[in-house]
Amino acid sequence: MNFQQQIITRFLLAPQANYDKSHTLRVRQYNLENRPLKPAAVLIPLVPRHGSFSMIFTRRADHLKHHPGQVSFPGGRYEPQDIDLIDTALRETEEEIGILCNRDSIIGQLPSLPTISGYIVTPYLSVISPDYRPQLDPNEVDELFEAPIEHVLNPMNIRIQKVTFRGNNHNIYSIPFSKYSIWGATAQMLKVLSDQLWYEKI
């Protein structure tokens, strides 16, 4: 079994990890009116590289209302024409970065994550061709880049920062990579995936 197969097998067989309670608390404090969260989905694209995988990330356009300039995975809100949330993740990935994936490439999902922007986001993992040709939608995405999973899932690179939100102190995760800082919901997803893979033991 090669390293890529080990990663996928570990993900499929390991008990599913969960998000920390402080994140959910922050979302509840922000959503004081207890409005229903809107369903959304993102794709975590895994690209086979040199016997391992890289992950595709995007940097959101600076003019967007929610999380401008933030590093994220391709994705967006559920639309009525979508069959399900997998369809949402695949459609949004094609619209945002021009990468066409199919349902057969989905290898699993992480737990759904509530966000302070009012969404409940379900992340799906997909293996895509290393020969992909991105076409970015400038209305949504300013930049696309890859990062090795050995870096973004390594617990040594997942840092904890303290922030004050509505008068309360909270811990948030952040992962530096090159010139980028991965934080917020994306870092939460990576922390859970790292926990699920027990990456330090692979």
Side-chain angles (χ1 to χ4, degrees):
M1 182 182 295
N2 63 28
F3 188 59
Q4 291 175 359
Q5 292 170 328
Q6 289 182 49
I7 294 168
I8 293 175
T9 300
R10 181 68 61 84
F11 171 71
L12 294 175
L13 297 180
Q16 194 171 70
N18 290 306
Y19 301 106
D20 63 86
K21 295 180 180 179
S22 65
H23 174 83
T24 302
L25 177 61
R26 286 196 303 275
V27 173
R28 288 177 179 171
Q29 289 175 336
Y30 184 84
N31 186 19
L32 296 177
E33 299 176 2
N34 292 318
R35 291 170 294 181
L37 297 174
K38 295 166 285 191
V42 298
L43 196 72
I44 303 178
L46 302 176
V47 186
R49 300 285 188 207
H50 312 296
S52 183
F53 289 107
S54 288
M55 282 185 182
I56 292 177
F57 295 89
T58 66
R59 191 174 68 81
R60 292 169 59 83
D62 287 329
H63 63 262
L64 292 175
K65 178 181 179 181
H66 295 300
H67 313 297
Q70 190 169 329
V71 172
S72 65
F73 293 115
R77 66 182 180 184
Y78 174 85
E79 300 289 354
Q81 70 268 22
D82 295 336
I83 298 170
D84 52 22
L85 285 172
I86 293 179
D87 202 35
T88 301
L90 298 177
R91 174 184 56 76
E92 287 282 348
T93 298
E94 183 179 6
E95 291 176 0
E96 288 185 6
I97 59 177
I99 296 177
L100 180 61
C101 304
N102 58 56
R103 300 177 75 91
D104 292 339
S105 69
I106 302 292
I107 62 172
Q109 70 183 71
L110 296 178
S112 298
L113 175 69
T115 71
I116 61 173
S117 52
Y119 291 92
I120 179 77
V121 182
T122 303
Y124 294 93
L125 278 78
S126 173
V127 177
I128 71 169
S129 169
D131 299 320
Y132 70 90
R133 296 290 185 268
Q135 293 184 336
L136 307 187
D137 177 0
N139 293 317
E140 298 283 343
V141 176
D142 278 347
E143 191 176 354
L144 176 149
F145 66 94
E146 292 186 21
I149 63 166
E150 291 91 342
H151 182 91
V152 295
L153 297 187
N154 188 333
M156 297 296 293
N157 295 326
I158 302 176
R159 302 175 180 176
I160 296 178
Q161 296 180 341
K162 292 190 179 294
V163 297
T164 301
F165 184 77
R166 295 191 183 276
N168 296 304
N169 293 323
H170 300 281
N171 293 329
I172 66 168
Y173 297 109
S174 67
I175 305 165
F177 173 72
S178 184
K179 64 179 182 179
Y180 307 100
S181 177
I182 305 168
W183 60 283
T186 304
Q188 287 276 348
M189 295 170 191
L190 292 173
K191 175 64 167 62
V192 165
L193 184 55
S194 176
D195 290 346
Q196 184 165 337
L197 288 173
W198 300 311
Y199 185 81
E200 68 275 13
K201 298 180 182 179
I202 291 179

